[in-house]
Amino acid sequence: MTEVSEELNRPDRLREERALIDRARRGDRLALSELYRAHAPAIFARVLLPKLGNREAAEDALSETFRTAFEKLDTFEARDVSLYFWLARIATNKALDMHRARASTGRALANFETFMAPLTEAPPDPATLFDLRAEVLGAREKVKQVLGKLNPRYRRTIELRFVEDLSREACAEALEVKLGTFDVLLLRALRAFKKEWSGPDEGEVTSDDA
């Protein structure tokens, strides 16, 4: 890593990079592209792929890293070091965010699937079939009503994943979002569903903002 730092922080390279940053801050799209080409391969290979262990996830995080970096480029302070190290910090945060979203979504999915199990599992005791069937039908109707209260984006997210039983990848493609973005969206949709199912607390203001 020391050799990498010395190479990136060579005075001649820093001068060239500062010139590109100045142009990029003035809205020069070619300069943005050059900064991307200069640092994206290393950010992908040295930071994101090792942390995420999956090329698709690393590609998603790379895209988000540079989107954030270019939006906040005016906040970058040179201090005689390459832009690479600032980008690497942003990339690390994006990877951590993705891990948190995966973990939270996984827990939410497990809870939701446990909650929905009576709607799909056959009752084991024939003697209670009639009562259980009535209970399941009532629950299914309530599920339909609750879905109807969600904003369309949340409702469609749940329908794709649970009603149509599509994979996470297929759901993300259907919604035209990155896989990591879909995981976050699904988590929010499940939280909104749970909130509507249980009913808001007295005096609570609900919001469907994504």
Side-chain angles (χ1 to χ4, degrees):
M1 188 64 182
T2 301
E3 293 179 0
V4 173
S5 299
E6 291 177 353
E7 175 64 19
L8 290 171
N9 292 334
R10 276 185 7 227
D12 58 326
R13 290 197 59 164
L14 289 178
R15 283 193 297 272
E16 293 175 1
E17 187 175 86
R18 297 297 176 269
L20 285 174
I21 292 171
D22 288 342
R23 287 168 49 199
R25 284 171 169 167
R26 294 194 298 267
D28 187 330
R29 298 182 67 84
L30 180 59
L32 290 173
S33 296
E34 291 184 32
L35 288 171
Y36 180 88
R37 287 195 297 270
H39 295 300
I43 292 294
F44 179 84
R46 296 173 185 164
V47 181
L48 293 172
L49 194 56
K51 291 184 181 299
L52 293 170
N54 176 279
R55 289 193 64 86
E56 184 175 354
E59 288 168 358
D60 288 348
L62 183 68
S63 176
E64 286 299 302
T65 294
F66 277 89
R67 180 188 63 78
T68 297
F70 289 159
E71 287 178 354
K72 298 182 177 181
L73 193 57
D74 285 341
T75 69
F76 171 66
E77 297 180 8
R79 296 181 180 176
D80 297 325
V81 295
S82 172
L83 180 72
Y84 168 85
F85 300 100
W86 184 66
L87 293 170
R89 288 198 301 272
I90 295 174
T92 297
N93 289 335
K94 295 297 181 183
L96 289 173
D97 287 345
M98 191 169 287
H99 278 303
R100 292 189 191 104
R102 283 177 176 173
S104 297
T105 302
R107 289 193 296 271
L109 287 175
N111 292 338
F112 189 76
E113 288 168 350
T114 299
F115 173 73
M116 298 291 287
L119 308 184
T120 57
E121 294 177 356
D125 183 3
T128 60
L129 176 60
F130 182 82
D131 289 340
L132 286 175
R133 182 179 180 186
E135 182 179 343
V136 166
L137 290 175
R140 281 179 175 158
E141 181 60 29
K142 184 174 180 181
V143 167
K144 183 178 179 181
Q145 292 174 0
V146 170
L147 285 174
K149 294 178 180 179
L150 303 184
N151 76 39
R153 190 168 177 81
Y154 285 175
R155 181 171 64 250
R156 186 59 180 150
T157 297
I158 291 176
E159 289 173 345
L160 287 169
R161 188 71 176 96
F162 294 104
V163 179
E164 300 181 23
D165 198 26
L166 297 182
S167 67
R168 290 167 52 245
E169 292 78 8
C171 291
E173 183 177 355
L175 292 171
E176 299 181 345
V177 298
K178 297 289 188 180
L179 185 59
T181 302
F182 172 75
D183 286 340
V184 174
L185 183 61
L186 181 59
L187 176 62
R188 292 175 178 173
L190 292 176
R191 285 174 174 169
F193 182 95
K194 182 179 179 181
K195 189 174 184 180
E196 288 291 346
W197 181 277
S198 301
D201 295 335
E202 185 176 353
E204 182 180 6
V205 177
T206 61
S207 172
D208 285 333
D209 291 342

